[in-house]
Amino acid sequence: MKGDAGGLVDRFGRVHRDLRISLTDRCNLRCTYCMPAEGVPWIAKQSILTTDELERIARVAAGLGIVEVRLTGGEPLLRPDVVDVVARMAAIEGPTGPLEVSMTTNAIRLDRVAAELAEAGLARVNISIDTLRAERFAELTRRDRLEDVLTGIEAARAAGFAPIKFNAVAMRGVNDDELVDLVRFAQGYDAEMRFIEQMPLDAGHVWSRVEMVTGEEILEALSEAFRLTPLGERGSAPAERWLVDDGPTSVGVIASVTAPFCGACDRVRITADGQFRNCLFAREESDLLALLRGGADDERLAEVMRVSIAGKRAGHGIDEPGFLQPGRPMSAIGG
């Protein structure tokens, strides 16, 4: 499909350029804020998008103005052909040039494929690491895998990924005493540490605003140890950023609940089973999988994407009285 002048623009004038694609809903961790310990209702294997289908969706999206594809999960490195997926995505040309391909991962398998991913065209990695303490990591993730994560981080650096970003969900009474330590850890890798307010996307639907560590609290804790200098407007980026002690490293805070960036949001998502979502918190989805396997042409796929974006709401609605948590947890939506 040729570049489409219509693009993915909603009724509020937001132009969508960032596509998050979940490669699988499966994960090798069971983080308490994301998944139950057991009994996870996995997506049926036959419903997972094939690599050809992933590539086709990305090509259509690129024609509609998407310039970056972020590969997520579950844990994307659990997909056996992840290197091939990256290579195909990186080869796609949109109206303004090739897609930038990045990935969010827990890094547990990264040491096995980091060099191959870089060779295939992966530009950047965001690595999730909520704690630096092995016992706490095992309790939080229900898996004793911190050493594997650290090995994966070293592999990412050796493969030349830059800048590396680390993500941590700040949780009261769980890891809020490690915020400073995590920033110092990131400084050792010339990486940016990013703290995320816990959002109502847990499988057990037990999220509580009262228990959530706010972005303001995070900054207060960090300001006691570092000199933080604002790095200007964030635009459509989710994180507000500060230079740490005059640099070169920075820290970011993603305050999706207390300081939402919905007004500048440029993101859309596709789940591992081919559902197009115009918002992380959307309760409606558009079924691209059925269209792909039902013989729809690229123009039909593009039209469904445009219609979905046209119906995007002004914001996620967490503060609205009638807010309902999405039916799918974060692991099934894709980060």
Side-chain angles (χ1 to χ4, degrees):
M1 188 183 80
K2 297 179 180 179
D4 193 299
L8 295 174
V9 185
D10 67 21
R11 57 199 167 115
F12 304 101
R14 295 173 294 196
V15 181
H16 296 73
R17 300 184 176 91
D18 185 326
L19 174 63
R20 310 294 172 99
I21 301 179
S22 174
L23 300 186
T24 177
D25 63 326
R26 295 177 184 268
C27 189
N28 39 18
L29 298 178
R30 294 292 183 274
C31 297
T32 56
Y33 58 82
C34 183
M35 303 173 74
E38 54 187 28
V40 181
W42 303 117
I43 296 171
K45 185 176 181 180
Q46 62 269 25
S47 296
I48 298 290
L49 289 167
T50 68
T51 304
D52 287 343
E53 290 167 343
L54 288 168
E55 181 182 10
R56 186 178 170 199
I57 286 175
R59 286 190 183 280
V60 171
L64 291 170
I66 291 295
V67 298
E68 178 180 355
V69 168
R70 171 77 58 82
L71 302 176
T72 70
E75 170 48 46
L77 295 182
L78 290 180
R79 187 168 175 123
D81 64 343
V82 64
V83 174
D84 185 37
V85 171
V86 168
R88 294 207 202 183
M89 296 289 171
I92 294 173
E93 291 268 351
T96 60
L99 288 177
E100 180 180 50
V101 185
S102 59
M103 180 180 292
T104 296
T105 173
N106 61 30
I108 286 178
R109 297 171 60 90
L110 196 52
D111 64 314
R112 309 179 193 184
V113 291
E116 291 179 79
L117 290 170
E119 180 69 22
L122 189 68
R124 294 180 292 105
V125 290
N126 287 19
I127 296 173
S128 301
I129 180 165
D130 296 315
T131 176
L132 301 171
R133 304 178 188 179
E135 184 176 337
R136 180 175 287 178
F137 185 95
E139 182 178 353
L140 177 61
T141 68
R142 304 185 179 103
R143 302 290 188 272
D144 186 11
R145 305 296 297 272
L146 179 59
E147 282 303 316
D148 295 322
V149 173
L150 298 177
T151 299
I153 289 171
E154 291 290 349
R157 178 161 64 175
F161 290 117
I164 297 173
K165 295 180 181 179
F166 297 137
N167 294 338
V169 177
M171 292 164 281
R172 195 177 306 283
V174 177
N175 66 347
D176 54 341
D177 59 343
E178 285 189 77
L179 304 183
V180 170
D181 291 342
L182 284 163
V183 171
R184 288 186 172 137
F185 172 78
Q187 287 179 308
Y189 288 91
D190 293 324
E192 178 174 289
M193 189 71 228
R194 305 199 310 174
F195 295 105
I196 305 169
E197 287 183 343
Q198 188 174 357
M199 295 178 283
L201 290 165
D202 57 301
H205 291 208
V206 296
W207 174 85
S208 166
R209 180 184 290 273
V210 176
E211 294 301 317
M212 181 189 72
V213 180
T214 67
E216 184 176 351
E217 289 176 288
I218 293 167
L219 289 174
E220 287 176 358
L222 296 180
S223 295
E224 293 180 2
F226 307 107
R227 182 171 55 259
L228 302 180
T229 307
L231 278 172
E233 297 297 322
R234 66 185 180 190
S236 61
E240 291 191 82
R241 301 172 62 236
W242 287 263
L243 200 63
V244 178
D245 289 341
D246 298 324
T249 56
S250 57
V251 65
V253 176
I254 301 176
S256 299
V257 178
T258 62
F261 50 93
C262 301
C265 179
D266 68 346
R267 287 159 192 75
V268 294
R269 286 174 168 78
I270 294 175
T271 64
D273 55 349
Q275 305 303 304
F276 188 84
R277 298 175 62 89
N278 60 25
C279 174
L280 180 61
F281 292 92
R283 293 186 61 82
E284 305 82 24
E285 300 176 332
S286 299
D287 191 351
L288 298 184
L289 181 70
L291 293 173
L292 286 164
R293 298 182 183 179
D297 62 15
D298 287 355
E299 292 298 336
R300 176 58 180 151
L301 293 174
E303 178 61 21
V304 169
M305 293 183 192
R306 282 194 297 262
V307 169
S308 175
I309 293 301
K312 185 169 180 171
R313 297 173 181 173
H316 53 46
I318 291 176
D319 290 323
E320 296 175 7
F323 173 76
L324 293 175
Q325 185 172 328
R328 293 186 192 236
M330 189 70 165
S331 59
I333 294 173

